[in-house]
Amino acid sequence: MGIVMSLRSALLATGVVAAIIGTGSNEAEAQAIACGGDYRVVAGDTLSEIAVRAYGTGRFGPIFEANRQRITSPQRLEIGYVLFIPCIDGVGNALPRGATPEPAAAQPAEAPLPTPTPEPEVAALPEPEETADQQERAGSFQLAPSTEAGLASLAPTRSGATVPDGALVKLIAVSLNAPFAGETLPEGGMLTELIQRALLRAPVSIDYEVAFLGGGSVSGVGEGQFDLGFPVALPNCDDIDALSEEGLLLCKDYVFSDALFSAGIGIFVNTAGDLSTAKTASDLFGRRLCRPEGMPQGDLAAVGLVAPNVNPVTAKSADECFMLLAFGDVDIVSVSPREGEAAIARNDLSRQIAAVEGIGQGQTLHVVSPRDSALGNTYLRIINSGLADMRGSGEYSAVVKNHLSFSGFN
């Protein structure tokens, strides 16, 4: 079974806490932390645990936002940091230093029977203004029906749903591969952290859960158990004949977020073999191709490097694939250029293995929602808006750099 990570448990599940970054025993105590003042980080602290002790909830967004000059990433919380712990108002917004929440009104001694509580108000996410570049890319990311692609019968994407305050978004990580997603990675992986940070920027309070189940298929998304799936490679929906069964399902029934990350895919072969001069994907047909488990296959399918054209071999890691290639047990390894270079260096294989240029195609990784889910489509718009804000502030680049460095890719 996979592990479910919630907003409260995100940092705890990764083990990335102050005790790891510093030295010494766990000094964090369970007593409450008073809001409106400062708190000095001790061994064992995480932002989510500090938030629990300050607010009774693991939503650490107000603390993170109030200490941006001190904290560059939630996963870099060092012993001795002095953090301002802002108080929050009734809907979870941070209050400035010196401000305290309004006290609750006193109840009369003889209170009448309470009237039924009205349904909570919900906030509609305003339609984002599209730039010319976004409009140009809309066909790719929204996958509008295309008669030329043979998808004229598809239902149009639904939008305009409202998101209730306190909504819980349930996501499934369908591909478990470092540094993108995995229950043992910091923050659950690079893309998990990017999604979390994007959701924290929603106009209403949103929590989330991630089930790290793998399996590679999004078929469970939209059937009541999960709202969104990630990371999913964007297939070429204009070429139906080249699509795998999963790719056709994605093009027909799902909508894609803006790209979370663009990952180049490399093709590596043994320099002593006859494939070192390969020019096209068809030159690799009939050979054994190794790819680490959990990686999506959309990029390979786009150039025909899937069964029966090649004989797929799955290994637990890139290192294992390259060792199989070095010993002649496979003919091709396909991983990202960055990951391939790191694995070749770790195993001292630079004289024996080389990249083949011009065959491996890059891929973009996304969050997907069922096409007919108005709420899921609205969650994607929230994520898109948050990603755009993060890219503008430089936060996106910082998150990506942290995870690539942690995984040894740069």
Side-chain angles (χ1 to χ4, degrees), residues 39 43 54 94 106 108-109 119 194 209 218 230-231 239 248 276 334 336 343 348:
Y39 173 77
E119 291 293 325
L194 290 173
E209 288 181 352
V218 297
F230 81 102
D239 188 1
L248 185 60
S276 59
S334 177
S336 72
D348 194 23

Side-chain angles (χ1 to χ4, degrees), residues 132-158:
D133 179 61
Q134 288 172 326
Q135 291 172 351
E136 182 179 345
R137 293 184 296 127
S140 296
F141 289 119
Q142 298 302 322
L143 300 180
S146 167
T147 53
E148 292 182 0
L151 302 177
S153 62
L154 300 184
T157 299
R158 296 175 62 188

